[in-house]
Amino acid sequence: GEGPAAVNVALLCFHTLGGSGVAAGELGRELSRRGHGVHFVAAALPGRLDPNGIRLHAVPLEQPPPVGTQAFTFALAARLVEVVQRERIDVIHAHYAVPHAAAAALARAALGGEAPALVLTLHGTDVPAPDAPAGEIQLLRSLAHGADVVTVPSAALGRTARERLGLDGQPRVEVIPNFVDTSRFSPGADRAALAPLFPGRDLRSVRALCHASNFRPVKRPLDLLAILARVRERVPAVLVLVGDGPERPRLEAEALRLGLSREVAFVGAVRNLPPVLRACDLFLLPSAHESFGLAALEAMSCGLPVVGSRTGGLPEVVEDGATGLLADPGDVEAMGAAALRILGDEPLRARLCRAARDRALRLFRAEEVLVRWEALYGRVVSRRSPGA
Ligand code: GMT
């Protein structure tokens, strides 16, 4: 049958390492595959994205003083005005309230009656804490209220956003989860990627733990080493750390202090993550908070069980007891014990692996989630141009 009408979407997102950039990039890729017009208006394309069929309208991030980096929002808005007019944009989809919804609001004010619809996806860090400055909260409320629809990747973030941004009527807050390309992130245990990370080491009886993040303090990266140390009291194990960020130097120093340097491999940003995941036995995500936990979903899609924190939206991704084991944030005793339980019981691990993959396929497949984005775009576009 005929698919939904093609739309022209302007995607605003961060291109840096992190879930929101990955989520926006993957959305762009899938929309383009399905015949929609995809226009990123951003400093650069999100890291993992291959530019085929996708347009980047680049906005320089750094400008010398006296303009300064604060002018990025203005430059983004100005570019957006041009792109909307030239490319006949139907929907602006902003990932992150600041600066993207702010730039979209400026552009829409300038465009007046020709302004396209605005979809705002919150990812968590852009929802103000209760003790944030009053002006900031008011500004974020007004930005969120200016969108046609606000989406969140988890019901947990939806509750927080409704409460802190006063979103209790219009616009609607809709939960559309992040998704994963389940054919690329596929299972198939293969130790090959591990050997070069631990040269000269016999890895046959060693269990491998994996973690991927941007190493912000909210990820509680030191807990990874505490969990590894507990596991190693009983089982030979190594830890593979993917990504980069502010806490990495501290983590390296702590690994050295604990005598774990040879057991921990820092692989940095990785373009092709699935082979690294497939080489490991278990994924760790001990964050203080996660509004979703896209890295955990990618691991599950590769058939890895997850040991992590019972916080935010993570329990909506990882089904505690079925696709992994969760504990309170900071409870490294419990997480270490959970990891040992899984690694010491192969039938249990095999059951969790299968259930992890099944859950990714059932609830978070790109194809399933894209249908929901298309329906949402269709709805906001027809509301803007009735009879069109
Ligand atoms: O967690 C980060 O530092 C990255 C951050 C981001 O903004 O890119 O991730 C947030 O958005 C992701 C995509 O929706 C979610 O999977 C992460 O859980 C969320 N991070 C937090 O809530 C801390």
Side-chain angles (χ1 to χ4, degrees):
E2 191 139 298
V7 288
N8 284 329
V9 185
L11 285 166
L12 310 187
C13 68
F14 290 129
H15 68 287
T16 42
L17 277 186
S20 67
V22 173
E26 293 294 313
L27 178 61
R29 184 212 311 273
E30 293 297 326
L31 287 170
S32 155
R33 266 191 200 159
R34 296 163 80 93
H36 301 286
V38 176
H39 299 265
F40 279 87
V41 187
L45 285 179
R48 284 200 210 149
L49 198 60
D50 140 17
N52 271 338
I54 285 165
R55 296 277 306 278
L56 169 68
H57 306 272
V59 180
L61 195 54
E62 302 285 346
Q63 290 178 323
V67 181
T69 51
Q70 292 304 317
F72 179 70
T73 308
F74 187 82
L76 191 62
R79 201 62 200 275
L80 193 52
V81 168
E82 296 162 16
V83 171
V84 163
Q85 288 170 330
R86 200 175 53 232
E87 309 289 348
R88 310 173 131 273
I89 295 298
D90 304 299
V91 181
I92 300 171
H93 187 168
H95 287 262
Y96 251 108
V98 183
H100 302 123
L106 284 173
R108 293 213 308 164
L111 287 160
E114 344 156 44
L118 174 61
V119 175
L120 168 59
T121 295
L122 300 170
H123 287 278
T125 309
D126 46 0
V127 175
D131 60 351
E136 201 175 289
I137 295 178
Q138 210 172 320
L139 198 54
L140 284 163
R141 280 186 175 212
S142 134
L143 288 174
H145 281 266
D148 293 272
V149 181
V150 173
T151 85
V152 285
S154 63
L157 183 59
R159 284 190 291 275
T160 312
R162 260 187 226 104
E163 180 191 307
R164 306 229 180 114
L165 297 173
L167 293 165
D168 37 22
Q170 283 299 323
R172 284 164 46 80
V173 179
E174 215 171 295
V175 180
I176 301 189
N178 292 320
F179 60 85
V180 60
D181 181 341
T182 49
S183 43
R184 210 161 78 74
F185 286 85
S186 60
D190 178 1
R191 282 279 200 235
L194 216 54
L197 303 180
F198 301 94
R201 178 118 184 218
D202 180 2
L203 291 165
R204 270 170 303 184
S205 57
V206 173
R207 311 318 299 269
L209 313 178
C210 186
H211 168 82
S213 78
N214 51 11
F215 295 102
R216 292 197 297 139
V218 70
K219 304 292 171 181
R220 295 188 64 92
L222 293 182
D223 288 5
L224 297 164
L225 298 180
I227 296 167
L228 175 67
R230 276 176 184 66
V231 169
R232 285 182 53 79
E233 286 167 11
R234 303 255 302 278
V235 178
V238 292
L239 174 61
V240 178
L241 296 173
V242 180
D244 209 343
E247 292 292 293
R248 180 171 163 176
R250 234 167 40 114
L251 199 54
E252 277 168 320
E254 183 67 4
L256 195 65
R257 199 185 66 80
L258 294 172
L260 288 171
S261 294
R262 279 182 29 108
E263 279 65 46
V264 180
F266 290 87
V267 301
V270 166
R271 243 192 119 75
N272 190 14
L273 188 54
V276 178
L277 290 169
R278 283 182 209 120
C280 297
D281 302 292
L282 187 68
F283 192 81
L284 299 176
L285 198 55
S287 313
H289 184 77
E290 285 296 339
S291 57
F292 184 85
L294 187 53
L297 174 58
E298 292 179 337
M300 281 166 53
S301 187
C302 287
L304 258 63
V306 178
V307 168
S309 297
R310 195 179 296 113
T311 179
L314 200 51
E316 296 171 48
V317 179
V318 179
E319 190 185 350
D320 193 9
T323 73
L325 297 173
L326 302 180
D328 290 336
D331 191 347
V332 291
E333 282 300 333
M335 290 187 209
L340 273 171
R341 216 184 116 201
I342 296 171
L343 295 175
D345 180 348
E346 201 39 42
L348 169 68
R349 204 186 75 87
R351 204 158 59 236
L352 295 176
C353 289
R354 265 196 313 277
R357 171 68 181 171
D358 285 350
R359 187 169 172 84
L361 284 170
R362 194 155 39 81
L363 300 178
F364 303 105
R365 260 176 68 208
E367 295 81 348
E368 301 291 328
V369 178
L370 255 293
V371 173
R372 301 183 52 191
W373 282 119
E374 288 179 325
L376 184 142
Y377 291 158
R379 224 162 50 232
V380 295
V381 169
S382 68
R383 227 188 283 145
R384 290 239 137 210
S385 47

